[in-house]
Amino acid sequence: MTEAYIYDSVRSPRGKGRKDGSLHEVTSVALGKQMLNAIRERSDLSGHAVEDVIWGNATQAMEQGGCLARTTVLASDLDEAIPGLSINRFCASGMEAVNLAANQIKGGAGMAYIAGGVECMSRVPMGSDGAAVAVDPTVAMDSYFVPQGISADIIATEYGFSRDDVDAFAVESQNRAAAAWADNRFAKSIITIRDVNGLPILDTDEYMRPGTDMQALGGLKASFKDMGEVMPGFDKVAMLKYPHLAAINHVHHAGNSSGIVDGSAAILIGSKEFGEAHGLKPRARIRATAKIGTDPTIMLTGPVPATQKILKDAGMTINDIDLFEVNEAFSAVVLRFMQAFDVDHAKLNVNGGAIAMGHPLGASGAIIIGTLLDEMERTGKGTGLATLCVASGMGAATIIELV
């Protein structure tokens, strides 16, 4: 079987997902176009150099609707002979794009792909697509659907994470992200975003809140307590599925949950022959990929079974992994991962995560793979695993190895 290698990885800085965010004026197409152009320029690609562009985005509505991948290719400097495929695995869309591209190469369907994703949450709000899993009662009632924040609080309750636990994790994410930016650890991958006139408008993740401490977070009200306990009373729905819980401990809030942001990322993946033909040196090998479905009520535990599956498929154990990137959708998601595998926090999300820098849904999977790769190269660590929880109860994972 042909091996699949990562040749390059880029991402945008993440802008606040509000109307006053620095990227609000930039459409999803315009943001993604800058990622594709950066890959093209950095690797000197011309003509029909890649088989396809596989592009993830979670809210496929309005300007993110249609085949956003093909539209972005047409807007970019890539050759029009390159097609585009838009995919949606919610929060894992960017990772699934990478995994699908890698497995296409391994199966012999083309020598190279550009994969990644985009989400402009300030322009296309989360939930604006009217996803059936949340709004169709014939599905929502049978699956005991609750909003993700309630699911995160179920995890905290089920696995014993206190308010102090989740807040302490969030503070550490902020500290690590600030230290990483101060040390220029993201410099290899960050692409400065420019406006329609070519002027730079953002070169740093702007969602971060350096200096956040336990006292500041302690003053925040639990965000999902009212919707759980009052109206519409989602706690009662959850406890039909988890009747052993006497009550749900609501511990998550804006400070220990992932930030709503705009962002994009792209990864160039190819075979050995592709690299030789274009004079490119591979940076890492994509060793294994995995995806799995999980309980849709607790919803966010997917990184655990996805990791179990990918390790089994790869013939590895958790001790074979040197570094981890676990998407910080909520603090309890990552705390549960560390608890399940007894992973040292010193090996996980060492440069902070989505709590500090934000979670642009369709791009995050590609972002954390790129972040993992950069850190592996910086530290000389040989093997890394990236994984995300996914809305409606799924998980995805990728294992990469330095070349």
Side-chain angles (χ1 to χ4, degrees), residues 150-168:
I150 302 291
S151 299
D153 288 339
I154 297 172
I155 294 173
T157 306
E158 178 78 358
Y159 295 102
F161 305 127
S162 68
R163 172 68 182 258
D164 280 351
D165 292 333
V166 294
D167 282 357

Side-chain angles (χ1 to χ4, degrees), residues 36 48 50-58 60 64-74 76 78-89 92-105 109 112-118 265-267 362:
L36 298 186
H48 197 171
V50 299
E51 187 75 15
D52 204 354
V53 170
I54 305 179
W55 211 233
N57 65 290
Q60 297 186 338
Q64 289 185 173
C67 185
L68 185 61
R70 175 58 175 169
T71 306
T72 307
V73 169
L74 293 175
S76 76
L78 292 177
D79 194 292
E80 67 178 16
I82 298 170
L85 171 65
S86 289
I87 64 168
N88 187 353
R89 200 186 293 281
S93 297
M95 175 175 285
E96 188 60 30
V98 172
N99 291 353
L100 179 58
N103 290 328
Q104 292 277 84
I105 292 167
Y113 289 74
I114 299 173
V118 68
I267 296 178

Side-chain angles (χ1 to χ4, degrees), residues 13-273:
R14 285 166 273 196
K16 295 177 182 177
R18 306 192 306 251
K19 291 184 178 181
D20 62 349
S22 293
L23 297 183
H24 177 63
E25 67 183 82
V26 185
T27 67
S28 303
V29 170
L31 188 58
K33 175 183 77 172
Q34 295 186 53
M35 298 302 102
L36 298 186
N37 286 345
I39 288 286
R40 177 185 178 278
E41 292 163 10
R42 286 161 52 125
S43 296
D44 194 23
L45 302 178
S46 61
H48 197 171
V50 299
E51 187 75 15
D52 204 354
V53 170
I54 305 179
W55 211 233
N57 65 290
T59 306
Q60 297 186 338
M62 298 179 286
E63 64 191 45
Q64 289 185 173
C67 185
L68 185 61
R70 175 58 175 169
T71 306
T72 307
V73 169
L74 293 175
S76 76
D77 295 332
L78 292 177
D79 194 292
E80 67 178 16
I82 298 170
L85 171 65
S86 289
I87 64 168
N88 187 353
R89 200 186 293 281
F90 295 129
C91 303
S93 297
M95 175 175 285
E96 188 60 30
V98 172
N99 291 353
L100 179 58
N103 290 328
Q104 292 277 84
I105 292 167
K106 290 181 180 182
M111 293 176 60
Y113 289 74
I114 299 173
V118 68
E119 207 79 34
C120 287
M121 301 178 77
S122 71
R123 300 177 62 90
V124 184
M126 181 169 52
S128 57
D129 55 348
V133 70
V135 303
D136 184 341
T138 65
V139 177
M141 291 175 68
D142 289 345
S143 62
Y144 299 94
F145 171 85
V146 297
Q148 286 190 22
I150 302 291
S151 299
D153 288 339
I154 297 172
I155 294 173
T157 306
E158 178 78 358
Y159 295 102
F161 305 127
S162 68
R163 172 68 182 258
D164 280 351
D165 292 333
V166 294
D167 282 357
F169 181 87
V171 168
E172 182 63 11
S173 180
Q174 294 283 355
N175 290 339
R176 291 182 178 194
W181 270 104
D183 198 32
N184 292 318
R185 295 184 187 180
F186 303 125
K188 182 182 291 187
S189 298
I190 288 288
I191 303 299
T192 297
I193 300 305
R194 299 178 180 276
D195 66 12
V196 293
N197 299 309
L199 299 175
I201 55 175
L202 188 65
D203 61 7
T204 307
D205 291 321
E206 71 173 347
Y207 183 81
M208 296 185 298
R209 297 178 177 86
T212 297
D213 57 24
M214 292 292 286
Q215 289 70 31
L217 295 187
L220 298 178
K221 178 183 177 182
S223 297
F224 310 103
K225 183 178 177 66
D226 287 347
M227 72 169 64
E229 297 179 353
V230 188
M231 289 296 292
F234 282 111
D235 284 8
K236 293 181 179 179
V237 176
M239 290 166 70
L240 291 172
K241 193 75 167 283
Y242 293 89
H244 61 282
L245 298 180
I248 294 174
N249 184 21
H250 292 285
V251 297
H252 288 93
H253 49 74
N256 57 35
S257 307
S258 56
I260 293 174
V261 294
D262 302 332
S264 185
I267 296 178
L268 176 62
I269 306 157
S271 63
K272 179 181 179 183
E273 291 74 19

